[in-house]
Each structure stands twice: as C-alpha cells, then as structure tokens.
Amino acid sequence: MEDKESKINLVIIACDKGGFDLKTKIKEYLLENDYVIVDVGIHLLDQKQTDYIDICKDLCAKVNQMPASKGIVVSDNGINVEVVCNKFRGIRCALCHDYYTSEMTRKHNDSNILALGQSVTGFEVAKQMVEIFLKTPFDRSVPEHWNRLKKIEKIENEGAC
C-alpha cells in the first residue's frame, strides 16, 4: 500500500440492491486497509428498495461536501448510477472495467466517483480498480487535462445545453 499522503483516505460508498454484495466486500476491504468510510446506503439487502437516483443524489452531495473524499457507487451494471451521478455539478463519475480505465479516469479527468457493476466486475478486479482509483492523482502537469476540466466547469456554470 502507498503511504497515507499519496492516496485518498475518505471514501463515500453507496449501492442499490443490485450492487449490495460487491459494495459490502469493497467496504470490508477498505476498512481493513485503514480507509475512513461513509456509507450512504443501502445498508441491508432486504431493506425496502431505495431508488438508485436517491442513493446517487446522497452520494454526490457528500462527495461535494467533502472535496478531499472520493466516491464509489455500485449497481448491477454500473451504467444507471454513472448516468445519474454525472447530472450533478462538480461530479465526474466514471464507469470503469479494469485497472487501466480506473487509472486513466483519475489521471486525465480527475474523476471523483468510481461506478462499478456487480454483474460485470468480480471482486478481485474491483478491489484492484478501487485501490488504483483511490491512490492515483490527477495529472496536473498536462495542460490539456487541466484545460478540459476548466471547460467542463464552465459548461456546468453556464447551465445545460
């Protein structure tokens, strides 16, 4: 593991019913590795189904309130939660499928939420993706990456197309 200064230590985590098992395993793994976890739900598999839109809203609000944090959201396939999270100002959520995409979304896009699909990503791969997502910094040395983020921010501030 990397030293504490080179990785994110506060993780906001969420799931819908379709991502509960993978979220639970990821949460346990992160706790074992000294991460601080804020779990916005769901908390029980038999819990009355909360709509994934509401879960994403809670997750995004927490990530925006705690800029030093990163978020992880898990559903059955990850697509639905990625779409919803990206509707919130300041959120850059990426649905990733492997080590490379997890690394690149942090380096190039400064993504602050990782979306995962329980039905398409096994725990060992998810664990690797989470770890690289949390310890990879945004590459500020490349002007194009920084300029693109500023353009995205400008679009958010101007409003929808």
Side-chain angles (χ1 to χ4, degrees), residues 47-112:
Q47 177 179 335
K48 183 179 176 183
Q49 181 63 14
T50 302
D51 196 303
Y52 68 86
I53 294 170
D54 299 323
I55 293 166
C56 291
K57 181 179 178 184
D58 293 345
L59 172 69
C60 293
K62 290 282 188 198
V63 169
N64 277 330
Q65 290 168 7
M66 298 181 249
S69 70
K70 294 292 176 263
I72 299 170
V73 62
V74 187
S75 70
D76 179 60
N77 58 44
I79 298 167
N80 56 336
V81 292
E82 179 198 30
V83 169
V84 173
C85 287
N86 281 318
K87 298 297 181 184
F88 292 90
R89 183 177 304 221
I91 297 298
R92 290 171 306 284
C93 181
L95 173 59
C96 295
H97 298 286
D98 54 30
Y99 177 96
Y100 181 76
T101 54
S102 296
E103 182 179 29
M104 291 300 105
T105 198
R106 286 288 305 130
K107 277 186 175 181
H108 293 192
N109 305 313
D110 197 20
S111 292
N112 50 9

Side-chain angles (χ1 to χ4, degrees), residues 1 6 18 38 48 59 66 80 83 85 101 106 124 127 131 149-150 154 156:
M1 291 224 34
S6 64
V38 176
K48 183 179 176 183
L59 172 69
M66 298 181 249
N80 56 336
V83 169
C85 287
T101 54
R106 286 288 305 130
E124 290 303 318
K127 183 168 67 171
E131 190 65 34
L149 284 183
K150 291 296 181 190
K154 184 178 178 190
E156 287 178 337

